[in-house]
Amino acid sequence: MKKVGVVGFTGVMGAGIVQLCAQSGYAVVGFSRSPERMKKAMATIEKHLSRLVEKEKIAADERQAVLARIATADTMTALGDCDLVIESAVENMELKKSIFAEMDAVCRPDAILATNTSSLSIIDLAMATRRPNQVLGLHFFNPAPLMPLLEVVRTIATSDETLAAGKAFGESLGKTIIVARDAPGYIVNTLLIPYLLNAIRMLDRGQAAREDIDTAIKAGLNYPMGPLQVADYIGLDALLFIANIMYEESKEPQYAAPPLLKKMVTAGWLGRKSGKGFYEYR
């Protein structure tokens, strides 16, 4: 692979994937239909690279080389010569299906199509194309340039060749690769979401104070953050969305969102990004 496309690169995850791929030596095309948001995304990438220069993690000329490998486009036909295209749009199934159908129409027949979804059924996206055997999940973690893990997700239709190419691509980015089945939550969220929801349930029923719940995990298990801090960092709306998807697909009670989480999202208490969640942020 030499050229990678990223659809939805104006979001936090999309911009991070663009930066990561360019830093790893790939030519990258970032697609968005909003020129204004593309400018903001590129400004964010430039700022992040400048910080790396300031910290002496990369040289100034390397910063320029990375930026030179990034192109932006507001028409999807610009992805036509990419070897791999990664979709990183908002978590909306119908939107993602329409994107995959459009990518399928403009991309080379041998191109691999991937999604960065953290929770949606990938086979549903694959069936919006004429190449379901060439579709897989590449689930990066935020921030994509820094977090070491990449979940490579295989559907029942993903070919051995596509899986091998996805793993090789992830290794070329310096990631630690794990392979997951296309099931709700894959590996990480299957373990993480019930853990976070149980912490919220514990707080809701008055079993312990928020600080004691988080301190128990940090001091008792040596985790860097407690579960309520993690929930605030992820965003309570995102946590609720993922939990709802996992519950709807599996009907397992462990994925059912606690009433407190629903109420906080309704109130606009979304965590760090809104300034208030289980904690306040100034």
Side-chain angles (χ1 to χ4, degrees), residues 150-169:
L150 176 65
E151 281 187 310
V152 178
V153 186
R154 181 178 196 169
T155 77
I156 58 173
T158 304
S159 69
D160 291 342
E161 293 77 12
T162 298
L163 179 65
K167 291 169 64 177
F169 172 69

Side-chain angles (χ1 to χ4, degrees), residues 120-264:
L120 296 175
S121 169
I122 299 173
I123 189 61
D124 285 3
L125 302 178
M127 295 312 295
T129 76
R130 295 163 294 179
R131 60 181 94 186
N133 62 313
Q134 292 164 230
V135 176
L136 79 168
L138 294 176
H139 181 211
F140 294 85
F141 293 79
N142 188 31
L146 299 180
M147 293 295 282
L149 186 66
L150 176 65
E151 281 187 310
V152 178
V153 186
R154 181 178 196 169
T155 77
I156 58 173
T158 304
S159 69
D160 291 342
E161 293 77 12
T162 298
L163 179 65
K167 291 169 64 177
F169 172 69
E171 290 165 357
S172 76
L173 303 178
K175 297 301 184 186
T176 298
I177 307 301
I178 57 175
V179 178
R181 183 167 67 87
D182 182 23
Y186 316 135
I187 296 174
V188 172
N189 280 335
T190 295
L191 299 171
L192 175 65
I193 299 304
Y195 159 68
L196 299 180
L197 298 182
N198 277 330
I200 297 170
R201 293 186 187 103
M202 183 179 289
L203 178 67
D204 198 11
R205 63 177 174 253
Q207 185 173 341
R210 63 181 182 182
E211 292 85 355
D212 291 338
I213 293 171
D214 283 339
T215 299
I217 295 300
K218 290 187 288 185
L221 300 179
N222 202 30
Y223 285 19
M225 297 172 69
L228 300 177
Q229 292 171 317
V230 172
D232 275 355
Y233 181 80
I234 293 172
L236 302 190
D237 54 340
L239 174 58
L240 178 60
F241 181 84
I242 294 169
N244 284 343
I245 288 175
M246 295 176 71
Y247 179 74
E248 284 302 313
E249 188 155 343
S250 69
K251 299 302 181 185
E252 293 187 23
Q254 63 178 331
Y255 301 128
L260 177 59
L261 176 60
K262 297 176 183 178
K263 290 174 182 177
M264 292 177 72

